[in-house]
Amino acid sequence: MISNTIDQEIKQAMLAKDQAKLRGLRAIKAALLLARTEKGTAEEITEETELKLLQKLIKQRKESADIYKQQGREDLSRVEEEEIEVISVFMPKQLGASEIEAIIEGLIKDSGAVSVKDMGKVMGLANKELAGKADGKLIAEIVKKQLA
């Protein structure tokens, strides 16, 4: 579980006075707490849910950093990129495009998909298989390319 590790990392970042790391860790902790309270105390957050949450945090920060760069605010963009680095530490290793293509090719064969009309079926399987290991946008591009 990531939440136990986060608490330890927050303590270390506070002692080291590492503000960038502390910001990123606190963002993760806040998102985890929010997810726990949304589902109720009876349900425990799964590792898959944690990974999706981390992906969402990274995506939000990438979008913010891009907007800040377009507006010429390099200082704010740098803050977002620092947080992305901290959050990325808790993500599994991201797969390369060739590895993703091979996995998706296998999923297409297994599902019997033949055209772009079957993209939804393949995407569902691919998102389960590649959860946390690849960006959804990249997965969609590869599935579309292979089904075309």
Side-chain angles (χ1 to χ4, degrees):
M1 294 294 288
I2 294 174
S3 53
N4 299 334
T5 310
I6 295 293
D7 291 335
Q8 296 299 321
E9 293 283 330
I10 286 175
K11 288 176 189 173
Q12 291 174 358
M14 288 173 124
L15 290 172
K17 296 185 184 341
D18 186 349
Q19 294 302 314
K21 188 173 183 179
L22 194 56
R23 271 192 318 272
L25 293 170
R26 284 183 174 158
I28 295 170
K29 185 171 183 169
L32 289 171
L33 286 171
L34 186 63
R36 261 193 218 108
T37 55
E38 281 178 358
K39 295 199 178 218
T41 55
E43 283 188 46
E44 191 62 33
I45 296 177
T46 63
E47 192 172 335
E48 184 180 323
T49 307
E50 286 179 339
L51 289 176
K52 285 182 182 178
L53 215 148
L54 292 176
Q55 275 186 315
K56 182 179 175 183
L57 291 174
I58 290 173
K59 183 179 178 184
Q60 288 172 340
R61 276 151 184 78
K62 282 182 180 178
E63 289 171 356
S64 295
D66 289 342
I67 291 169
Y68 289 141
K69 283 181 182 175
Q70 289 172 0
Q71 296 175 348
R73 295 296 309 265
E74 291 298 322
D75 55 331
L76 295 175
S77 175
R78 197 173 323 108
V79 168
E80 297 294 331
E81 289 168 357
E82 289 170 351
E83 288 183 22
I84 290 171
E85 288 177 27
V86 172
I87 297 168
S88 296
V89 170
F90 297 97
M91 293 290 293
K93 181 185 167 283
Q94 298 291 300
L95 297 175
S98 59
E99 294 168 309
I100 296 169
E101 285 175 2
I103 292 170
I104 290 174
E105 193 173 306
L107 291 173
I108 290 172
K109 286 178 185 172
D110 294 344
S111 68
V114 290
S115 70
V116 179
K117 292 179 182 176
D118 300 319
M119 186 168 173
K121 181 168 47 171
V122 176
M123 281 300 295
L125 295 170
N127 284 331
K128 276 185 182 174
E129 180 80 24
L130 300 169
K133 298 175 187 168
D135 181 48
K137 201 178 211 180
L138 180 61
I139 293 171
E141 287 174 11
I142 293 172
V143 169
K144 196 171 191 178
K145 184 175 79 175
Q146 289 190 5
L147 289 175

